[in-house]
Amino acid sequence: MKFFSPPLTAILFFTLTPLAAQTVVRGPYLQQPTADGVTVRWRTDVPTASRVLYRATGGTGPMQNSTDAKLTTEHEITLKDLRRDVRFDYEIGTTAQSFGANVDQFFRTTPAADTQRSIRFWAMGDFGAGDTDKYRANQRMVRDQFLAHKKGPVDLWVWLGDNAYCCGTQAEYQTQVFDYYTSALLGNMPILPSPGNHEYYYPTLATADPERKRDVPYFDIVTTPSQGEAGGVPSGTEAYYATDYGGIHFISLDSYGYDPGRLPLSDSASAQYQWLEKDLAANAAAGKSRWAVVFMHHPPYTKRSHDSDAAAELRAIRQALVPVFDRYKVDLVLAGHSHVYERSYLMKGHTDHSATFNKPQHEVQNTDAHYTVESPPIINKDEGTVYMVIGSAGRLDWNGRPDPHPTSIYSNYQMGGSTLFTVTDNRLDGEWIAADGQIRDRFTMFKNVNKRVEKQIAAGASVTLAASWPGSYRWSTGQAGVSSISVQPPRDTVITVRDSLDYLQDTFVITVQQPQPVPEPVPEPVVTATGPVAEFIIYPNPGHDRLLIELPGKTPASMLVTLTDMTGRTVVERTLEADARPELDIRALPAGAYVVRVMANGQTWQRLIVKP
């Protein structure tokens, strides 16, 4: 049975597409996004050949196509050799004809790691929950509110496991996921999936395989980059994998299935654990991805639904994986399993019982990161991880515990929701869109901001200054609302830019290299009065702090000493007494060339000196 709200009936129309002797009964849906393509999957009611027609959005030439002549009901076409970060429209069909265009059918190839455009991904778990009126209503409201708030295309859809209750059967995936979300979502958001424990309960909870073997329908439904097609270290299995998308390195883990030898993810001898370490190490060494996001079904920290103190599997995951996440500075760990929403502090080093959580010891930055007047964002995140449970997109349950987990900044067991993330360069924002339409939790994290930049320019040259973050800007020059400015300072100057809430500031120290004047030759000595010429001695020359002046053979009562710069401006004038040390202090003078004149007994002498 399908449950659609009236406002979406017209939007979500692609559940069934009649065509002569065949009908599309599932999809199309997108898998395995890469830099040069994507995998398109769909199901028909009778076996047919497969074809995908595609063309860059806005293009006017003929559509390209990729085909597979094999007759099948499970269609899978992988498109390759496409331009990076380009949007394409597509149609599915047979080798004989297309099933028709649909405004919801488009994809975009993966952007480069240094992209400046925003990457948006939607994350949720425990959503295909069509077994009670309460869960169905919650799933419908969460879906509708996401559609109302997303305001434009979303790049990726992250599944956090327990995607179709009770047992991950093909029928449950059909009615509770594919029929439910339709091409309005499935047709244009590539899915990054992960399995939960309910995927392994096939065919029923009572007959679930205790060996947790990976031969359940989930692995027939998804296509994941097991050979490193989308980046990262090849895993050799569709159960866990990595995907690079823009500046984000995603890692999907299987927190319930067993590797050979009945080894779970939490066992350091398991293939999955060892792959995880290799992949995180390789990603850190490459330095290409600014953000690292790990997602799986089972959370290291949770209360109010499942309890990570009481559940042995959750304790084992926390003790085994948190040190790995700390070591490789993973930014986000997303999970489901508990049918609530929970977000932790930016934290590290906590693997024990929740009662041992100590904020001064385990919290990296003391903020809830709302990025408001009262709440600063996470600034210059370099270590620590934010842990999130987003498990109430369908299921919604409370175990009766009144207190949240002590690691939680915010938790909500009263209503469902999903989280929309936006990553723009070195800024990450998360918004939890609750089932009532309110953004009930949000946070912002920055990396590599609050910079001090020194620049040297020639006199008369201009220089461009760019803020180190995406957001709001107020420049000390008076300009606002722009991320970069061009200036032509006449002299050394300092310019700052701040965000609108005064949490971020970049400082630009600009040194202007003035042209050095060429001194005119000065004859020495020059006598401007009558009488014999005495030798005039100044030392040291070049002069540093003080000058000593001597007139050998002369014993004047006093001497008048003046220094002029190369423009003729007098910068020092002193009378030195003969019975005192004839010393002139020049520490305050800037570097440059000067003319020293000495007048005594009616005579004048001058020399050129240089102060380095």
Side-chain angles (χ1 to χ4, degrees):
M1 186 174 184
K2 302 168 191 171
F3 293 85
F4 299 108
S5 61
L8 284 176
T9 304
I11 299 174
L12 310 178
F13 65 86
F14 200 62
T15 302
L16 300 177
T17 304
L19 180 71
Q22 61 272 316
T23 298
V24 177
V25 295
R26 174 178 295 179
Y29 60 104
L30 303 175
Q31 301 274 270
Q32 197 169 252
T34 65
D36 69 341
V38 74
T39 297
V40 185
R41 295 191 59 167
W42 68 98
R43 173 185 285 183
T44 53
D45 61 338
V46 296
T48 71
S50 310
R51 182 173 66 166
V52 175
L53 299 167
Y54 58 94
R55 179 172 54 204
T57 301
T60 57
M63 297 187 80
Q64 297 177 275
N65 72 88
S66 181
T67 64
D68 185 345
K70 181 182 65 177
L71 301 182
T72 182
T73 59
E74 297 294 335
H75 304 270
E76 181 173 344
I77 295 287
T78 297
L79 305 180
K80 297 181 180 180
D81 301 323
L82 306 183
R83 287 177 292 156
R84 179 186 280 276
D85 200 17
V86 172
R87 174 172 157 158
F88 292 84
D89 301 316
Y90 71 94
E91 301 172 15
I92 58 172
T94 71
T95 51
Q97 57 186 311
S98 167
F99 291 174
N102 184 321
V103 295
D104 293 323
Q105 290 176 197
F106 59 88
F107 64 87
R108 190 164 187 162
T109 48
T110 298
D114 60 354
T115 182
Q116 296 301 299
R117 79 168 176 90
S118 295
I119 306 299
R120 306 171 78 207
F121 64 96
W122 184 35
M124 62 185 198
D126 304 77
F127 49 90
D131 48 353
T132 71
D133 290 342
K134 170 188 172 182
Y135 297 149
R136 286 191 291 267
N138 183 55
Q139 184 180 5
R140 181 182 67 251
M141 290 188 292
V142 170
R143 177 200 64 191
D144 291 355
Q145 293 305 329
F146 168 73
L147 286 168
H149 280 82
K150 73 185 186 79
K151 294 180 176 61
V154 175
D155 294 278
L156 299 168
W157 186 1
V158 175
W159 288 3
L160 302 177
D162 284 4
N163 310 311
Y165 282 85
C166 128
C167 304
T169 66
Q170 287 280 5
E172 288 165 342
Y173 264 94
Q174 185 66 42
T175 58
Q176 294 161 208
V177 179
F178 292 104
D179 289 352
Y180 199 86
Y181 294 103
T182 75
S183 67
L185 298 171
L186 294 161
N188 51 72
M189 281 193 299
I191 301 163
L192 302 186
S194 63
N197 49 292
H198 278 264
E199 269 68 47
Y200 284 91
Y201 290 168
Y202 173 82
T204 67
L205 182 60
T207 59
D209 178 9
E211 299 289 332
R212 303 184 189 180
K213 297 176 182 176
R214 295 182 173 123
D215 57 357
V216 293
Y218 167 85
F219 294 103
D220 297 324
I221 293 168
V222 304
T223 301
T224 65
S226 61
Q227 302 305 313
E229 300 93 330
V233 174
S235 65
T237 172
E238 288 194 316
Y240 46 89
Y241 59 92
T243 296
D244 288 330
Y245 199 95
I248 313 169
H249 186 67
F250 290 96
I251 296 175
S252 173
L253 299 177
D254 180 0
S255 57
Y256 193 75
Y258 284 157
D259 281 335
R262 296 194 67 180
L263 297 179
L265 166 62
S266 56
D267 191 320
S268 62
S270 70
Q272 184 174 192
Y273 180 99
Q274 293 175 5
W275 170 84
L276 172 64
E277 281 220 284
K278 289 178 183 177
D279 184 78
L280 283 171
N283 182 62
K288 294 187 299 183
S289 299
R290 186 183 295 274
W291 302 95
V293 177
V294 173
F295 60 99
M296 57 186 175
H297 185 63
H298 291 81
Y301 309 96
T302 185
K303 292 280 187 184
R304 292 179 159 184
S305 179
H306 292 283
D307 186 338
S308 56
D309 289 328
E313 283 183 320
L314 303 187
R315 291 199 308 270
I317 285 174
R318 181 172 65 254
Q319 292 164 1
L321 297 191
V322 168
V324 177
F325 300 150
D326 286 346
R327 184 158 57 251
Y328 295 104
K329 301 182 179 182
V330 170
D331 300 295
L332 288 178
V333 171
L334 311 179
H337 197 53
S338 277
H339 305 151
V340 295
Y341 173 76
E342 298 166 291
R343 175 170 67 91
S344 79
Y345 297 95
L346 180 67
M347 55 180 284
K348 66 175 184 177
H350 183 258
T351 59
D352 209 342
H353 191 281
S354 62
T356 66
F357 178 73
N358 180 276
K359 285 184 66 175
Q361 177 184 355
H362 299 119
E363 183 188 49
V364 176
Q365 291 188 30
N366 183 23
T367 177
D368 54 14
H370 291 163
Y371 200 8
T372 60
V373 173
E374 299 82 13
S375 171
I378 295 169
I379 299 174
N380 279 338
K381 187 271 173 186
D382 181 59
E383 59 180 354
T385 303
V386 172
Y387 294 86
M388 300 179 69
V389 176
I390 315 171
S392 59
R395 289 290 177 111
L396 183 63
D397 298 300
W398 179 42
N399 62 13
R401 293 182 178 273
D403 297 322
H405 197 284
T407 62
S408 292
I409 287 175
Y410 178 82
S411 67
N412 191 314
Y413 64 87
Q414 297 171 310
M415 62 182 61
S418 61
T419 303
L420 179 60
F421 294 91
T422 302
V423 176
T424 309
D425 193 19
N426 59 342
R427 172 176 178 164
L428 184 151
D429 294 273
E431 293 182 323
W432 186 61
I433 307 168
D436 64 353
Q438 299 298 310
I439 306 297
R440 294 192 171 272
D441 184 42
R442 56 165 36 98
F443 71 100
T444 299
M445 187 186 307
F446 289 99
K447 290 186 174 183
N448 197 27
V449 294
N450 288 358
K451 292 184 174 181
R452 176 185 170 88
V453 179
E454 296 186 1
K455 291 181 176 287
Q456 291 189 349
I457 62 172
S462 62
V463 61
T464 298
L465 311 177
S468 64
W469 66 85
S472 59
Y473 314 97
R474 293 183 296 113
W475 293 86
S476 58
T477 56
Q479 292 154 286
V482 292
S483 62
S484 65
I485 62 172
S486 183
V487 295
Q488 189 178 23
R491 61 185 64 87
D492 295 355
T493 188
V494 176
I495 294 176
T496 61
V497 58
R498 300 180 66 87
D499 69 319
S500 61
L501 296 179
D502 288 334
Y503 291 122
L504 309 177
Q505 176 177 306
D506 288 342
T507 301
F508 300 90
V509 180
I510 305 171
T511 302
V512 180
Q513 300 292 335
Q514 300 292 350
Q516 292 295 323
V518 179
E520 298 180 3
V522 179
E524 78 177 83
V526 175
V527 180
T528 59
T530 60
V533 178
E535 184 182 357
F536 173 31
I537 301 174
I538 298 179
Y539 59 90
N541 186 8
H544 292 280
D545 295 332
R546 292 175 174 83
L547 295 177
L548 295 176
I549 302 172
E550 294 183 8
L551 297 173
K554 293 290 183 180
T555 56
S558 63
M559 61 180 77
L560 177 64
V561 181
T562 60
L563 268 71
T564 57
D565 61 18
M566 291 297 99
T567 67
R569 182 172 61 94
T570 299
V571 294
V572 175
E573 185 174 82
R574 297 284 188 275
T575 298
L576 304 179
E577 301 299 330
D579 58 354
R581 181 179 178 85
E583 181 179 85
L584 192 65
D585 189 336
I586 62 170
R587 285 178 295 179
L589 296 181
Y594 299 89
V595 175
V596 181
R597 288 182 176 86
V598 178
M599 290 185 291
N601 296 341
Q603 294 179 308
T604 301
W605 298 268
Q606 65 183 32
R607 281 183 184 274
L608 182 69
I609 70 161
V610 176
K611 183 184 178 191

